Amino acid sequence: MSAKIVIDGVFFQIGRSGIARVWLKLLQHWVDQGFADQVVVVDRNRTAPRVEGIAYRDAPAFLYNNDQADRQALQTICDEEGARLFISSYYTFPLTTPQAMLVYDMIPEVLGWNLQEPMWQQKQRAMQMATHFAAISENSARDARAHLGRPDLPVRVAYTGTDFKVATPAAIDAFKTRHGLQRPYFLISGSRSSYKNVSLFFKAFATLGDERARCGVVCTGGGQLEPEFAALAGPADVRVLILDDAEMQAAYSGAISLVYPSLYEGFGLPVLEAMACDCPAITSRVSSMPEVGGDAVLYIDIEDRTEEQRAAQLAQHLRSVQEPATRQRLIEAGRVQATHFRWDRMAEIMREFLVEAADASLPPATGATHDEHACRLCGAPTRLLFNKRVLHKYDVQFRQCGHCGATQTEKPYWLDEAYVPENEKFDTGQVTRSLVNAAVISALLPMAGMGADTRVVDYGCGSGLMVRTLRDTGVDAWGYDRYSSPRLALGFQTPTYSGFDVVNLCEVVEHFDEPRQYFDDLFASDPALVVIQTGIAPQVTESWDYITPEHGQHIFFLSPTTVGWLCQTYGRQPVVVAGFQVLARPDVAERLIDPATGGLRAEHQQTLQNLLPNLWMGLFSRPYFHASQDNQLLRRMEGEAHAA
């Protein structure tokens, strides 16, 4: 499977407004979250920003008068990429591939715009075609349900985020100097179109009378200031500017207040950006704005008020926001409120939404037939990737599951021939792997807050070198292996892997002939950590050296999608530690995982720089101490066995 989800980046050909920012941030964070390998972006006329790690397909610009041909072109891309799901950044859709939809707002529908215009006709058709919905606010979700007449429609809410922050005093001064801003100014963000209700600001501002001469107004929507607004501004210094992100942060940070009296917003990103920049915000108490602003902004009561009443209330806010106590309260509350909205969290929610929607598009697994083999992990159908000669004698199919992403051989019938002493010669990395594995486990236990009584089982322990190394540093480690006896840790083998706090699967998962059975059994005892080291590839190729067909033991391979499936199925959270995939129980995950990044907490990163030196110190600081204790323990155990 070369791609599971196709994203049409059509909005990038339209402009660089908030919607473009949303999708750019999603793509960037999906790279960091390991989801990028599951998506392909359709790049319209080379207008999409290129994000390293994202795959792209070139396509012509979208034209509303060529809808059917565009749908066919999108369907061809979906078919070629093996897509399970399609989502557009702005209301395009293919012929047959299941479609998800991200709803930004319902402005045309709620405000009574002409829905016969081609853009809104396209939106209506896209909404009817979609099978799964997400929205950027609860309000947009409610309005989508109402418009579709489906009050029970499931809609996943994924709030947008911001990476804006308070500009430095030097940056603020430079911004003001560059644009000749010598007076304290109010900030108007975005266009001055009718629903943005900018006219209300100028009507309220006009009531300030002579106070206007002390103030400036910065409008960021570009163009020429409307004559009626200029008349209302009177002696104020009004500037109309077009600003990039750096200047916008300076503009927010240096303003008296953002004034954003919009009649409807799908989210209200300027309000969030203002709070993040220590800029008090004044906005309308309608649509999504209360979700964004919380108790940290001043509200204009738009509903059930006359225009004069609205203007009077806004004028009072324009004065009160300049009072030091009110201003400080809004700044402090805004800082806290802004932390609730993060791009990485939106990306995580959208990733989960898309994966679930894609999975829901799969037909129910019906088991293997003459032309279809069921996945041995999730039961869904698999497709043939290639054939490979195993043990120099068997022509074996390698297949990939379209649901959980695992690649596997056909049901293996050659394992008795594969697990013979002669094949141990292929395990040339055993010593290095065992020592590195022991070093990672030794470091991981204190990171996870696990003490000296922690029990570790090395599943598929082989010679027992890793078990012996851990025991020689004082870790209560045991070995489990169905095929061999741990020669270096005899006496510390266990007939079961249940009842242990940590289950170590180092170079083991690829040997699972019945992975669902093994994972079910493994997680049944609820271990705190499952540590996996194996080859992981989004797409297994015939030339991948990890297959090692000459020894015939590697028969099951994980992809990033498979790791996600395991976590979802067994209630775990993933984090990568020194190249090992760690599946952590939620109560332990919070000690390991930084919620802001989804990666390992910063305080643990330095530990990983000294893994092997730390292991050597553990082994040589008290040489033979733990080995002597183990010797005494074995003698005691042997005596008890004879007595029994």
Side-chain angles (χ1 to χ4, degrees):
M1 178 178 62
S2 57
K4 187 175 183 179
I5 299 165
V6 166
I7 301 169
D8 189 356
V10 64
F11 194 86
F12 293 114
Q13 83 172 48
I14 299 173
R16 300 295 185 186
S17 66
I19 294 173
R21 183 189 298 273
V22 165
W23 281 101
L24 177 59
K25 293 299 181 182
L26 289 176
L27 294 175
Q28 290 170 338
H29 281 281
W30 283 340
V31 170
D32 296 337
Q33 293 173 359
F35 183 56
D37 54 65
Q38 288 185 248
V39 304
V40 164
V41 174
V42 178
D43 187 354
R44 300 288 190 150
N45 202 28
R46 284 282 174 147
T47 55
R50 294 283 166 145
V51 177
E52 187 175 355
I54 297 290
Y56 293 83
R57 287 288 300 265
D58 287 338
F62 174 72
L63 300 173
Y64 286 104
N65 61 1
N66 199 20
D67 176 62
Q68 191 62 25
D70 191 81
R71 292 183 64 192
Q72 180 59 66
L74 287 176
Q75 189 59 55
T76 298
I77 291 174
C78 288
D79 291 343
E80 291 176 351
E81 298 294 341
R84 292 290 183 184
L85 187 73
F86 173 91
I87 186 168
S88 176
S89 57
Y90 207 64
Y91 311 140
T92 53
F93 51 96
L95 294 173
T96 60
T97 298
Q99 180 190 357
M101 188 175 200
L102 177 59
V103 179
Y104 311 110
D105 60 62
M106 299 296 289
I107 292 173
E109 296 82 0
V110 171
L111 298 185
W113 293 4
N114 180 11
L115 299 184
Q116 298 307 309
E117 292 183 6
M119 180 182 295
W120 308 131
Q121 284 285 295
Q122 181 80 8
K123 179 181 178 181
Q124 303 311 307
R125 290 194 296 270
M127 292 187 76
Q128 294 298 328
M129 291 289 294
T131 58
H132 292 78
F133 290 83
I136 61 174
S137 68
E138 291 285 357
N139 185 77
S140 290
R142 285 193 298 270
D143 287 346
R145 294 186 188 102
H147 177 73
L148 290 169
R150 300 168 63 184
D152 297 324
L153 176 70
V155 181
R156 186 74 58 85
V157 174
Y159 290 117
T160 69
T162 183
D163 46 14
F164 275 28
K165 58 185 178 181
V166 183
T168 65
I172 296 171
D173 290 341
F175 167 76
K176 291 180 178 179
T177 299
R178 187 160 49 251
H179 297 289
L181 299 171
Q182 298 179 351
R183 306 180 194 177
Y185 62 88
F186 293 99
L187 181 64
I188 307 296
S189 178
S191 73
R192 296 183 297 281
S193 58
S194 59
Y195 83 93
K196 293 294 186 181
N197 202 23
V198 174
S199 61
L200 182 63
F201 164 76
F202 282 102
K203 289 175 184 176
F205 189 67
T207 67
L208 300 184
D210 293 340
E211 295 177 50
R212 293 174 294 173
R214 298 185 294 101
C215 297
V217 178
V218 172
C219 301
T220 67
Q224 295 294 318
L225 184 68
E226 293 73 7
E228 62 272 24
F229 293 166
L232 292 168
D237 180 16
V238 182
R239 304 298 178 93
V240 179
L241 307 175
I242 297 177
L243 306 176
D244 61 22
D245 283 358
E247 286 202 307
M248 274 303 304
Q249 292 174 78
Y252 281 124
S253 301
I256 299 171
S257 171
L258 167 74
V259 185
Y260 200 67
S262 180
L263 298 175
Y264 186 104
E265 292 293 323
F267 179 77
L269 185 58
V271 175
L272 173 58
E273 291 174 342
M275 293 188 298
C277 293
D278 280 2
C279 176
I282 302 171
T283 192
S284 309
R285 199 190 303 273
V286 294
S287 62
S288 61
M289 263 80 85
E291 293 179 60
V292 179
D295 295 325
V297 304
L298 296 178
Y299 288 105
I300 311 160
D301 294 309
I302 296 292
E303 297 177 349
D304 301 321
R305 298 287 185 99
T306 66
E307 188 74 356
E308 290 73 19
Q309 290 172 326
R310 297 171 182 171
Q313 186 183 31
L314 176 51
Q316 179 57 42
H317 289 336
L318 296 179
R319 289 188 174 97
S320 63
V321 78
Q322 299 180 67
E323 298 170 358
T326 300
R327 181 176 180 79
Q328 190 61 31
R329 176 183 67 80
L330 293 172
I331 288 174
E332 292 176 358
R335 289 173 186 164
V336 175
Q337 181 70 5
T339 63
H340 298 158
F341 303 92
R342 306 197 319 265
W343 287 120
D344 62 331
R345 179 57 180 154
M346 183 190 192
E348 180 182 353
I349 292 172
M350 285 299 297
R351 174 182 60 80
E352 294 172 354
F353 164 72
L354 292 175
V355 168
E356 291 172 11
D359 289 346
S361 72
L362 284 165
T366 57
T369 67
H370 68 283
D371 61 351
E372 178 181 274
H373 297 258
C375 173
R376 296 196 295 279
L377 180 61
C378 72
T382 61
R383 68 181 181 90
L384 179 65
L385 292 179
F386 52 80
N387 283 37
K388 194 82 171 174
R389 198 84 167 163
V390 170
L391 292 175
H392 304 291
K393 60 193 295 191
Y394 300 114
D395 192 33
V396 173
Q397 292 185 359
F398 285 73
R399 311 182 66 88
Q400 186 169 35
C401 177
H403 178 62
C404 71
T407 295
Q408 56 218 269
T409 67
E410 61 187 272
K411 191 170 179 63
Y413 49 82
W414 57 88
L415 295 184
D416 286 345
E417 298 177 60
Y419 287 97
V420 294
E422 173 68 12
N423 269 346
E424 191 173 359
K425 68 186 179 186
F426 293 110
D427 194 5
T428 54
Q430 180 180 163
V431 172
T432 299
R433 182 183 70 240
S434 297
L435 293 175
V436 171
N437 190 197
V440 170
I441 295 292
S442 296
L444 185 60
L445 297 183
M447 291 180 192
M450 306 178 79
D453 58 344
T454 300
R455 303 188 74 227
V456 178
V457 61
D458 185 22
Y459 187 116
C461 63
S463 68
L465 176 58
M466 201 277 275
V467 173
R468 182 72 268 156
T469 304
L470 282 178
R471 295 199 67 86
D472 285 353
T473 62
V475 177
D476 189 14
W478 294 72
Y480 170 85
D481 201 307
R482 292 185 296 160
Y483 295 101
S484 67
S485 179
R487 298 176 301 282
L488 300 177
L490 293 175
F492 295 100
Q493 63 265 53
T494 172
T496 178
Y497 44 85
S498 65
F500 286 86
D501 304 296
V502 178
V503 178
N504 185 62
L505 302 172
C506 182
E507 296 291 322
V508 169
V509 171
E510 64 276 9
H511 298 270
F512 282 177
D513 55 339
E514 294 294 343
R516 184 56 183 263
Q517 174 188 326
Y518 299 145
F519 280 120
D520 280 350
D521 291 347
L522 189 153
F523 284 104
S525 60
D526 199 28
L529 299 173
V530 174
V531 182
I532 299 174
Q533 185 186 46
T534 188
I536 296 180
Q539 179 65 59
V540 174
T541 63
E542 188 174 0
S543 60
W544 191 28
D545 59 6
Y546 198 72
I547 293 174
T548 55
E550 59 276 359
H551 67 51
Q553 297 178 4
H554 288 188
I555 57 177
F556 181 77
F557 309 94
L558 304 184
S559 71
T561 304
T562 319
V563 175
W565 186 93
L566 290 171
C567 289
Q568 183 177 8
T569 301
Y570 297 107
R572 292 308 193 266
Q573 292 179 243
V575 62
V576 177
V577 179
F580 287 68
Q581 293 283 340
V582 179
L583 280 53
R585 203 169 58 202
D587 60 308
V588 180
E590 62 186 16
R591 304 170 201 153
L592 292 171
I593 300 174
D594 183 342
T597 65
L600 193 65
R601 287 184 176 274
E603 60 263 32
H604 301 323
Q605 297 291 345
Q606 184 59 40
T607 303
L608 301 184
Q609 305 302 316
N610 300 292
L611 281 176
L612 288 174
N614 288 342
L615 179 67
W616 307 144
M617 289 297 296
L619 287 169
F620 300 132
S621 60
R622 303 174 74 185
Y624 307 116
F625 175 80
H626 295 293
S628 297
Q629 286 191 323
D630 275 354
N631 192 282
Q632 296 174 29
L633 176 60
L634 289 173
R635 291 176 182 275
R636 186 164 60 252
M637 291 166 58
E638 186 174 314
E640 291 171 353
H642 280 296

